[in-house]
């Protein structure tokens, strides 16, 4: 079975729901583990990496949570397949660049994904829709406990789990959530929020993690420190911070609607106008406009349209997903045409946004 | 006070970050601060920048002697300076001394708190128990409570057996 046949369609994945999914797109908990006495992937020679992969892969495949999983070595996945996995947030950009000696095991529900020989021998992650950090931690903790009976992990009582990069040392945990924050961006409060979150020792990153832009007003919040704090404490701390960010985002939206409704309706109306009528559009512009449309859906400006449609378009308009629908290799310019065609077609039946203007609002923007 | 980056000009930009109870300070000259984008990015990601700054400083020193070499994987201090990552789990012992400061700037603490592999946890618990039993036995003997001592000796024996069983049976 190819990865393309294995993965659920974006129609299905965008229908997954979870708590607070109006703002929290997804939750993730990742653990880094290494085998004792074996060089880390970045330092090991290829034959050694292959040997490690061959030792780890069957152990991961035999996990009870991996029944019916997809398992493959990275050299057997095409460049397009790898990019699709990145666009689905199932593997990292670093893992996408890997070839022989690295591998991937992904469960049927796409909620559990193990990268073998990425930066560490094992990078295992549990994914959940919406805000479900605790659930994700419980799931990955179970996987780790089952795996430690089969593999000898490098662990020191003083330093904890030993990782290739000292930044992951200790618990080897990275807890993160992807947040859609158009209100805070429009209200120009996002930098304050980022500064506040940073002060708490947490990192804010763009859509695809380390070193990427916050396309489509999507931000990833995660812990930075892994040594000296227990996993559950990190999870709880992040959970509380995210609840606060959700509150700030909701307040920003309410405040914007109260003080500058026309500005908000203008952004959303223009976004719809372009998406529904475009003939050439880049994936970056698409994401930024879809973000505004998603905000419009949240504000009930598109009756009968659910978030799932916007979330699906968010995925299928990305370069690799678009390319996958066509057999011939597309240049970036051709993709921009086909992306526009797809958007016009999918939005053909979506009616123009309908702002809910309070009856006694008078001139909409206060001019004092 | 000299700039932490160029170590030539006087430091004029002073930034402080507080993470929990730890205070981190960075002192830079105007030029280096500008170069790092600190002056034109008020509020934005300054803390992130700082953490990165402090860390990269420590990173440069953390390799220790460039010719310090890991006996297991052959990784050297120079390699660490280049890659910022270590060669194998043994490297943490090899470079322990020079890593300590780096870990301090990066993390909340320098000792692991949290999950411990089950096999280790069991053996640690059993070892602790063994020590306690031994103490009790010593006391019983000095107090000439021989009945108690005999019981304790049996218990010690069975705990030892469990420990041994764990050591031989746990490895794959």
């Amino acid at each position: 079975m190819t990865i393309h046949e294995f993965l659920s369609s974006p129609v299905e994945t965008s229908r997954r729901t979870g708590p607070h999914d109006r703002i929290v797109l997804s939750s993730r908990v990742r653990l880094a583990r290494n085998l004792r006495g074996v060089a880390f992937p970045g330092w090991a020679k290829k034959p050694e990496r292959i040997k490690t992969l061959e030792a780890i892969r069957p152990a991961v495949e035999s996990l009870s949570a991996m029944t019916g999983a997809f398992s493959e070595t990275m050299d057997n996945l095409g460049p397009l397949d790898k990019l699709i996995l990145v666009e689905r947030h199932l593997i990292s950009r670093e893992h996408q660049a890997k070839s022989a000696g690295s591998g991937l095991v992904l469960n049927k529900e796409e909620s559990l994904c193990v990268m073998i020989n990425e930066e560490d021998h094992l990078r295992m992650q549990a994914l959940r829709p919406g805000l479900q950090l605790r659930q994700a931690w419980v799931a990955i903790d179970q996987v780790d406990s089952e795996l430690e009976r089969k593999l000898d992990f490098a662990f020191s009582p003083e330093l904890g789990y030993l990782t290739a990069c000292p930044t992951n040392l200790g618990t080897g945990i990275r807890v993160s959530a992807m947040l859609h924050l158009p209100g805070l961006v429009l209200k120009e409060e996002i930098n304050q929020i980022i500064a506040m979150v940073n002060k708490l020792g947490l990192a804010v990153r763009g859509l695809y993690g380390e070193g990427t832009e916050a396309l489509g007003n999507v931000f990833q919040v995660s812990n930075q420190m892994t040594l000296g704090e227990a996993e559950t404490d990190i999870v709880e701390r992040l959970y509380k911070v995210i609840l606060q960010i959700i509150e700030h985002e909701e307040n920003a939206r309410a405040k914007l609607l109260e003080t500058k409704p026309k500005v908000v309706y203008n952004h959303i109306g223009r976004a719809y106008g372009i998406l529904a009528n475009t003939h050439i559009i880049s994936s970056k512009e698409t994401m930024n406009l879809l973000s505004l449309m998603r905000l419009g859906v949240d504000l009930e400006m598109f009756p009968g349209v659910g978030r799932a449609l916007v979330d699906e378009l968010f995925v299928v308009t990305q370069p690799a997903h678009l390319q996958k629908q066509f057999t011939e290799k597309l240049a970036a310019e051709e993709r921009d045409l086909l992306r526009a065609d797809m958007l016009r077609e999918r939005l053909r039946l979506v009616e123009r946004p309908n702002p809910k203007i309070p009856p006694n609002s008078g001139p909409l923007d206060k001019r004092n | 006070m000299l700039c932490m980056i160029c170590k030539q000009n006087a430091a004029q930009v002073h930034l402080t970050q507080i993470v929990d109870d730890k205070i981190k300070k960075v002192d830079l000259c105007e030029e280096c601060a500008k170069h790092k984008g600190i002056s034109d990015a008020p509020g934005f990601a300054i803390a992130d920048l700082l953490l990165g700054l402090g860390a990269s400083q420590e990173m440069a020193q953390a390799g220790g002697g460039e010719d310090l070499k890991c006996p297991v994987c052959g990784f050297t201090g120079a390699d660490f300076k280049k890659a910022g990552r270590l060669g194998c789990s043994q490297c943490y012992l090899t470079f322990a001394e020079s890593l300590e400061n780096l870990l301090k700037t990066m993390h909340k603490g320098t000792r692991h708190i949290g999950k411990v592999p089950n096999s280790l946890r069991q053996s640690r618990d059993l070892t602790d128990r063994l020590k306690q039993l031994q103490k009790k036995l010593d006391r019983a003997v000095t107090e000439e409570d021989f009945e108690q001592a005999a019981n304790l000796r049996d218990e010690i024996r069975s705990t030892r057996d469990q420990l041994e069983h764990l050591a031989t049976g746990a490895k794959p």
Side-chain angles (χ1 to χ4, degrees):
Chain A
M1 189 189 273
T2 68
I3 186 69
H4 190 56
E5 291 160 341
F6 181 84
L7 288 178
S8 328
S9 72
V11 187
E12 289 167 61
T13 57
S14 57
R15 284 207 191 112
R16 291 172 189 160
T17 57
H20 298 288
D21 57 4
R22 181 174 144 102
I23 289 169
V24 185
L25 304 180
S26 63
S27 300
R28 167 196 316 259
V29 177
R30 180 222 78 191
L31 295 178
R33 296 287 185 262
N34 288 281
L35 302 190
R36 191 185 301 277
V38 182
F40 296 138
W43 184 244
K45 301 269 183 301
K46 193 168 157 184
E48 201 179 350
R49 285 204 308 272
I50 292 175
K51 222 178 100 191
T52 316
L53 173 65
E54 281 166 0
I56 296 175
R57 197 174 154 192
V60 175
E61 286 169 351
S62 69
L63 289 168
S64 51
M66 284 298 189
T67 316
F70 176 85
S71 170
E72 195 49 274
T73 58
M74 292 312 277
D75 48 327
N76 281 336
L77 289 171
L80 191 60
D81 297 331
K82 292 184 193 173
L83 209 55
I84 283 188
L85 289 166
V86 172
E87 288 177 359
R88 295 283 185 101
H89 299 283
L90 291 169
I91 65 169
S92 62
R93 294 218 171 239
E94 178 163 345
H95 205 55
Q96 175 206 343
K98 300 282 182 194
S99 182
S102 293
L104 160 82
V105 185
L106 171 67
N107 78 339
K108 228 158 72 190
E109 294 76 25
E110 296 165 44
S111 59
L112 182 65
C113 185
V114 177
M115 292 180 268
I116 304 169
N117 279 339
E118 199 233 33
E119 182 183 299
D120 294 294
H121 293 143
L122 281 144
R123 283 282 177 102
M124 30 198 189
Q125 44 187 12
L127 309 139
R128 293 286 183 278
L131 183 58
Q132 300 195 63
L133 296 175
R134 290 173 191 151
Q135 292 84 341
W137 156 245
V138 169
I140 207 67
D141 181 31
Q142 262 171 22
V143 166
D144 176 58
S145 298
E146 203 178 323
L147 215 48
E148 74 181 24
R149 278 181 241 138
K150 306 171 193 223
L151 300 169
D152 188 17
F153 289 151
F155 181 89
S156 128
E158 291 80 33
L159 297 176
Y161 292 95
L162 303 171
T163 53
C165 186
T167 50
N168 297 311
L169 188 65
T171 51
I173 200 173
R174 187 121 303 152
V175 184
S176 68
M178 278 215 284
L179 312 176
H180 182 229
L181 307 172
L184 288 168
V185 173
L186 283 177
K187 210 161 174 291
E188 293 174 3
E189 282 176 359
I190 191 72
N191 287 351
Q192 278 164 264
I193 297 289
I194 291 174
M196 168 198 102
V197 174
N198 282 340
K199 263 189 205 131
L200 297 166
L202 304 176
V204 182
R205 301 194 171 100
L207 186 57
Y208 291 105
E210 226 159 317
T212 63
E213 306 179 68
L215 291 169
N217 302 319
V218 175
F219 297 83
Q220 218 181 85
V221 179
S222 65
N223 67 303
Q224 251 176 330
M225 294 179 245
T226 52
L227 184 63
E229 192 177 12
E231 293 89 348
T232 45
D233 292 336
I234 295 175
V235 169
E236 287 309 310
R237 206 152 60 85
L238 216 76
Y239 180 75
K240 276 184 201 143
V241 171
I242 287 166
L243 283 183
Q244 271 184 46
I245 300 176
I246 293 173
E247 210 177 297
H248 282 293
E249 169 66 18
E250 292 287 9
N251 284 340
R253 290 182 187 186
K255 198 86 189 164
L256 276 169
L257 277 182
E258 195 186 307
T259 56
K260 298 176 178 170
K262 278 286 188 189
V263 173
V264 178
Y265 299 150
N266 183 51
H267 276 300
I268 295 166
R270 280 168 177 260
Y272 166 82
I274 294 172
L275 289 170
N277 297 288
T278 179
H279 285 265
I280 304 172
I281 192 163
S282 68
S283 71
K284 191 170 157 181
E285 187 182 2
T286 305
M287 277 193 256
N288 289 333
L289 296 176
L290 281 172
S291 157
L292 291 164
M293 228 188 119
R294 195 180 201 269
L295 177 64
V297 171
D298 288 349
L299 301 177
E300 295 171 12
M301 284 170 65
F302 295 96
V305 176
R307 270 194 296 272
L309 172 68
V310 184
D311 289 351
E312 184 199 339
L313 289 175
F314 209 89
V315 175
V316 294
T317 54
Q318 300 208 31
H321 276 82
L322 199 69
Q323 172 67 67
K324 195 76 203 177
Q325 300 173 27
F326 300 90
T327 41
E328 68 275 36
K329 173 98 183 72
L330 303 171
E333 298 79 33
E334 295 172 287
R335 281 203 304 268
D336 291 353
L337 299 178
L338 293 163
R339 180 179 297 115
D341 290 348
M342 177 196 282
L343 285 165
R344 284 200 320 281
E345 172 58 27
R346 294 299 304 274
L347 296 177
R348 202 165 46 89
L349 297 175
V350 174
E351 277 184 46
R352 291 168 53 190
N354 177 25
K356 285 187 170 174
I357 303 167
N360 57 350
S361 61
L364 278 169
D365 280 11
K366 286 173 187 158
R367 298 207 180 146
N368 49 355
Chain B
M1 188 185 291
L2 287 179
C3 168
M4 283 172 68
I5 294 182
C6 64
K7 298 193 172 76
Q8 283 172 358
N9 304 329
Q12 285 173 318
V13 178
H14 309 278
L15 293 158
T16 306
Q17 182 196 21
I18 302 169
V19 179
D20 294 307
D21 301 321
K22 276 188 284 180
I23 297 176
K24 284 166 189 166
K25 283 186 177 157
V26 180
D27 305 292
L28 307 170
C29 70
E30 264 187 328
E31 216 177 297
C32 289
K34 202 184 257 172
H35 188 65
K36 288 278 170 192
I38 287 178
S39 49
D40 52 33
F44 181 80
I46 277 190
D48 203 24
L49 239 152
L50 292 191
L51 207 75
L53 256 181
S56 65
Q57 276 256 322
E58 290 297 343
M59 202 75 125
Q61 287 156 15
E66 298 226 341
D67 36 58
L68 198 58
K69 195 169 179 176
C70 176
V72 172
C73 72
F75 195 81
T76 66
D79 289 322
F80 183 65
K81 263 174 211 176
K82 233 187 309 170
R85 291 169 188 177
L86 292 161
C88 73
S89 48
Q90 183 71 24
C91 287
Y92 279 98
L93 267 180
T94 312
F95 302 103
E97 223 169 282
S98 43
L99 277 171
E100 188 149 344
N101 276 332
L102 177 66
L103 295 180
K104 261 184 215 157
T105 50
M106 258 176 198
H107 293 293
K108 195 159 194 163
T110 52
R111 274 192 75 94
H112 175 59
I113 301 175
K115 187 166 183 175
V116 172
N118 194 36
S119 56
L120 218 80
R121 198 174 57 228
Q122 281 178 342
S123 77
R124 204 174 55 184
D125 291 351
L126 286 173
T127 314
D128 285 352
R129 189 170 156 67
L130 210 56
K131 272 186 206 147
Q132 277 176 353
L133 289 172
Q134 192 64 50
K135 251 186 228 159
K136 274 192 196 164
L137 177 65
D138 290 348
R139 205 180 312 134
V141 171
T142 38
E143 286 166 7
E144 298 188 10
D145 185 349
F146 296 114
E147 195 184 341
Q148 168 85 337
N151 287 337
L152 285 166
R153 206 179 41 222
D154 289 347
E155 226 177 306
I156 286 173
R157 197 171 291 147
S158 89
T159 310
R160 272 217 188 97
D161 283 351
Q162 282 179 52
L163 246 177
E164 248 168 63
H165 182 73
L166 204 65
T168 48
K171 290 281 171 294

